[in-house]
């Protein structure tokens, strides 16, 4: 799990919407980028200005989809009729 702390209300709203809708969110912190599902958004009540701690469960990067065939057959088939 990846925890991220922020005081930006717009960013917190984006994470809450992603959590509510079950969508992935991306965070760029320092030199790394983490993409995953938002597990929790917690406000730290004792801090001033308000701060939030966001917990993200990283997901594995998607593998590149390999085409089933090297080329489509639609083009040579259509050329036979013209």
């Amino acid at each position: 799990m990846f925890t991220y702390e922020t005081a930006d209300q717009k960013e917190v709203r984006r994470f809450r919407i992603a959590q509510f809708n079950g969508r992935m969110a991306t965070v760029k912190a320092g030199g790394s980028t983490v993409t995953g599902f938002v597990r929790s958004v917690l406000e730290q009540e004792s801090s001033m200005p308000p701060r939030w701690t966001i917990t993200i469960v990283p997901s594995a990067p998607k593998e590149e989809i390999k085409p089933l065939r090297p080329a489509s057959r639609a083009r040579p088939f259509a050329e036979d009729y013209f």
Side-chain angles (χ1 to χ4, degrees), residues 1-9 11-13 15-16 19 27 37-47 49-57:
M1 284 202 228
F2 177 77
T3 56
Y4 177 70
E5 190 173 305
T6 185
D8 186 5
Q9 291 181 352
E11 197 170 31
V12 171
R13 184 172 189 269
F15 287 121
R16 283 186 174 153
Q19 181 184 18
V27 177
F37 292 101
V38 179
R39 182 176 183 122
S40 67
V41 178
L42 300 172
E43 183 177 0
Q44 298 174 357
E45 296 177 5
S46 62
S47 67
R51 299 187 66 76
W52 291 267
T53 302
I54 295 121
T55 305
I56 297 177
V57 179

Side-chain angles (χ1 to χ4, degrees), residues 22-37:
R23 295 186 180 143
M24 290 182 152
T26 301
V27 177
K28 293 181 182 177
S32 64
T33 302
V34 177
T35 301
F37 292 101

